[in-house]
Amino acid sequence: MKRAAVAAVAAAVLLGAAAVLWNVHARASVTEVTGLVGSEKEGFFADEAVRDRFAELGYRVQVRGRGSRAITTADTGGVDFAFPSGAPAAEAFRTRHGVDREHRPFFSPMVVLSHRPVAEALQRAEAAAPAGDGTWTLDMAAYLDLAEDGTRWRDLPGGAPEGTGRNTVLIRTTDPRTSNSAAMYLAVVGYLLNGEEVVSGPAPGVAERAVPLFLDQGGPPDTSRQPFDSYIALGPGHTPLLWAYESQYVAAGAAGELPEEAAVLYPAPTAVSAHTVLPLTGAGDEVGRLLTEDPELQRLAAEHGFRTTDPGVFADAAAAAGLPVRTRLDDTVNAPGHAAMEGLIREVERHYAGKPAAGTAG
């Protein structure tokens, strides 16, 4: 009996030692990777399923959220990859850091999030129309006419939706100086104000007309999450119209967080934001490849509202969440190239005298 007990203890010790060695080996086999990502992607990387999948593939990915435009000038010490949104921000980062590789695992069109009574008010003003698939179309040229005229919601035919009367008809955005989503808004607005031509050089007249669309909002929010949270929590009286990533709408809908009368309006025209992985190390390059090629990571990205390289994956995720989305994007415009976009933003920035940039907008 005593000999059996000793044998059992010895076996337990051996098993414990084996477990310790296995854990040490497992930890040693996981590659730590750090990235700078647009704030709209923080939720994706924080998802336990995403973290588990990366662990299965041998990686532990830690990210720091930044404004996509702010990423271009951020300190990259100890960083393996950058993951901004929008072609202009990606181009700026490539040029600044001499990056010659990239991965584009998913993308997101820009939408306007609203509430059904607000969309119906815009419909009466002939600025919006239901599309028949549960989504709405926002006529951006008609919207600009209302905004430039300083039209209030109470001035629209049929009166204002509850709580909006004193407000002007104005889309809420983030800070164009640091935020890709706001830069995409400026790209669309600039296209329309430039005679339906993509801005390709200095355009002070275009910027002059675009400035009130930003300044009249008041202080720009620090991140794209801030105005989105306000849209969800505070109703149409606070945020009648919000310029946002489609991915935010789908992810919130899948989580059951959208307001009861939420409405998604696809601007005509809109812009599409490509989410681009820019590797600074071999490990960062591998993370970009996995995000693009691994079917499970692609499926999880779609669950977070991003359109992937396979349109069917996104369509399935939206259908599972019971959300209306556009299956096709027929009216889009390209963003200006980096130099033209920067010039346009600098022109707008001059009018922000005394107003500090948010610095971390997404």
Side-chain angles (χ1 to χ4, degrees):
M1 179 70 71
K2 184 176 180 180
R3 189 175 301 172
V6 170
V9 170
V13 170
L14 288 172
L15 286 172
V20 169
L21 289 172
W22 186 88
N23 285 331
V24 169
H25 174 73
R27 284 197 296 270
S29 66
V30 173
T31 301
E32 301 277 351
V33 185
T34 300
L36 292 175
V37 306
S39 61
E40 74 289 335
K41 292 185 284 287
E42 286 183 282
F44 169 76
F45 284 99
D47 186 335
E48 199 64 35
V50 173
R51 298 172 70 86
D52 288 347
R53 180 55 181 161
F54 270 121
E56 290 172 359
L57 296 168
Y59 292 89
R60 182 178 294 112
V61 182
Q62 304 291 335
V63 300
R64 301 199 293 268
R66 293 287 189 278
S68 290
R69 287 178 45 75
I71 286 174
T72 64
T73 57
D75 180 8
T76 58
V79 173
D80 296 287
F81 68 92
F83 200 180
S85 303
E91 183 181 348
F93 189 91
R94 276 197 305 270
T95 301
R96 184 180 181 89
H97 296 282
V99 176
D100 59 2
R101 290 180 59 79
E102 70 175 29
H103 304 273
R104 295 190 176 188
F106 36 78
F107 63 96
S108 186
M110 307 309 300
V111 299
V112 173
L113 299 182
S114 188
H115 310 262
R116 180 168 293 277
V118 174
E120 290 171 346
L122 290 172
Q123 181 182 13
R124 293 192 296 270
E126 299 183 351
D133 58 3
T135 70
W136 290 72
T137 298
L138 177 64
D139 183 334
M140 286 297 290
Y143 155 74
L144 281 178
D145 287 341
L146 294 171
E148 287 194 300
D149 289 344
T151 306
R152 294 179 184 269
W153 289 101
R154 65 189 180 194
D155 299 328
L156 298 183
E162 183 177 356
T164 64
R166 295 179 181 274
N167 299 331
T168 55
V169 177
L170 198 63
I171 294 173
R172 184 148 177 75
T173 73
T174 47
D175 190 329
R177 296 167 291 179
T178 52
S179 164
N180 174 70
S181 61
M184 293 296 98
Y185 177 66
L186 181 56
V188 171
V189 168
Y191 169 83
L192 293 171
L193 297 179
N194 196 44
E196 298 194 4
E197 295 286 343
V198 175
V199 174
S200 59
V206 170
E208 190 79 25
R209 291 179 64 187
V211 162
L213 301 174
F214 294 102
L215 294 187
D216 289 354
Q217 298 179 46
D222 288 345
T223 70
S224 57
R225 183 72 199 185
Q226 286 183 343
F228 184 74
D229 287 344
S230 296
Y231 161 74
I232 289 176
L234 301 179
H238 184 277
T239 309
L241 300 169
L242 174 65
W243 186 263
Y245 294 102
E246 180 191 56
S247 57
Q248 292 176 290
Y249 158 74
V250 175
E257 297 174 352
L258 288 175
E260 184 177 350
E261 292 194 293
V264 59
L265 289 74
Y266 285 80
T270 190
V272 176
S273 181
H275 299 271
T276 307
V277 177
L278 300 160
L280 295 168
T281 67
D285 190 32
E286 184 63 10
V287 165
R289 185 189 70 78
L290 291 171
L291 285 167
T292 307
E293 297 179 5
D294 182 69
E296 180 63 8
L297 289 174
Q298 286 273 290
R299 184 187 67 78
L300 290 168
E303 287 187 356
H304 281 265
F306 298 107
R307 295 186 182 237
T308 68
T309 52
D310 182 351
V313 175
F314 171 78
D316 289 345
L323 294 171
V325 295
R326 289 282 168 89
T327 55
R328 292 182 51 174
L329 303 171
D330 295 323
D331 195 353
T332 64
V333 297
N334 294 325
H338 171 61
M341 191 79 244
E342 288 301 308
L344 194 56
I345 290 172
R346 280 196 296 271
E347 286 291 332
V348 172
E349 187 174 20
R350 290 194 305 107
H351 297 270
Y352 271 91
K355 295 180 173 59
T360 58

